[in-house]
Amino acid sequence: MLPTRKQAEQLLKEAERCNPGQWGDHSRTAAHCARNIALKCGDLDPEKAYILGLLHDIGRKFGARHLGHVADGYSYMQSLGYDEAAKICLTHSFHNQSIRDYIGKADTTAEEMKLILDQLAAVEMDDYDRLIQLCDSLAGADGVVNMEERMEDVRRRYGSYPEDKWEKNLELKKYFEDRMGKDVYTVVEKDTFRPRAVKIE
């Protein structure tokens, strides 16, 4: 199950009020990228892709956490009955389905870590998981960014970037470019797109 687009936009707005920051516009950019790529793939639902992109970081509602935002997002979406969004909250950080993929602090309780490990071991990733992983690496708060520049920036800030995750991102880019027959940066309007918060009535 998924919320509607309007419900997802409302959830993001509410979450930003709880924990303001650039992550909200990062999520809007990821949603834009996911929708545009899904449109060109033909067999992916653009609306579903948009909603999943919008909610992949919703765990940040609960504060400035690193790995903790994965557990928070998963549990929050599950509590609302949005299983597909919960799955994306989990998988967007683990390209190779391994906890070693995570870049940042392991700021989880033992219970949260067990939840992540158990669910990660059980999950079967599909093209929506792969799409949001790609779009997460393309999405900046001010618009679409060059993937390799973003990964290099993360490496500078955190001191490292797992080589297999770096390679997986490049592999995902090629995978979706091959599916679309088009350059990813052109499809996601890298040079022109700017995120804007949606006004909720």
Side-chain angles (χ1 to χ4, degrees):
M1 271 189 65
L2 275 176
T4 64
R5 180 178 179 138
K6 187 171 183 180
Q7 287 170 330
E9 288 167 346
Q10 182 69 55
L11 285 168
L12 180 58
K13 292 277 282 186
E14 289 171 358
E16 287 179 291
R17 284 195 284 270
C18 294
N19 179 29
Q22 293 188 323
W23 70 272
D25 280 342
H26 157 77
S27 298
R28 292 183 181 91
T29 302
H32 164 82
C33 292
R35 178 183 179 277
N36 281 24
I37 293 170
L39 276 168
K40 296 296 182 185
C41 285
D43 61 347
L44 294 176
D45 180 349
E47 194 75 355
K48 177 177 176 177
Y50 181 88
I51 291 164
L52 293 174
L54 210 60
L55 296 177
H56 77 280
D57 264 350
I58 197 70
R60 298 196 184 280
K61 171 181 181 174
F62 302 98
R65 302 185 73 193
H66 290 252
L67 184 57
H69 91 280
V70 172
D72 283 338
Y74 181 86
S75 297
Y76 179 40
M77 290 294 97
Q78 284 283 7
S79 75
L80 298 178
Y82 299 139
D83 294 356
E84 291 178 280
K87 183 188 177 198
I88 292 294
C89 289
L90 174 75
T91 61
H92 80 274
S93 291
F94 307 109
H95 295 43
N96 296 293
Q97 217 161 328
S98 167
I99 198 76
R100 293 189 303 274
D101 285 352
Y102 195 76
I103 303 165
K105 297 175 185 174
D107 55 351
T108 53
T109 64
E111 184 180 4
E112 289 171 332
M113 181 62 83
K114 184 178 186 306
L115 171 71
I116 292 170
L117 291 172
D118 287 351
Q119 295 304 319
L120 200 56
V123 77
E124 288 188 26
M125 292 200 197
D126 59 24
D127 273 0
Y128 289 102
D129 299 288
R130 297 180 191 101
L131 177 61
I132 303 307
Q133 288 167 357
L134 172 64
C135 294
D136 192 24
S137 69
L138 293 170
D142 299 318
V144 183
V145 297
N146 178 284
M147 178 194 292
E148 291 180 77
E149 289 177 6
R150 178 172 167 81
M151 291 191 293
E152 188 58 53
D153 176 61
V154 171
R155 177 149 57 191
R156 281 194 301 270
R157 286 188 287 118
Y158 289 92
S160 67
Y161 197 106
E163 195 61 34
D164 54 352
K165 186 169 185 173
W166 186 297
E167 292 302 321
K168 191 68 174 180
N169 275 327
L170 298 179
E171 187 182 306
L172 287 171
K173 180 174 178 286
K174 183 179 187 307
Y175 173 72
F176 282 102
E177 285 181 332
D178 288 347
R179 288 200 59 188
M180 296 185 295
K182 294 181 180 294
D183 174 70
V184 159
Y185 295 124
T186 301
V187 171
V188 301
E189 303 167 332
K190 177 180 178 293
D191 296 329
T192 56
F193 174 76
R194 299 293 177 269
R196 291 184 182 85
V198 175
K199 186 177 180 182
I200 306 296
E201 299 297 334

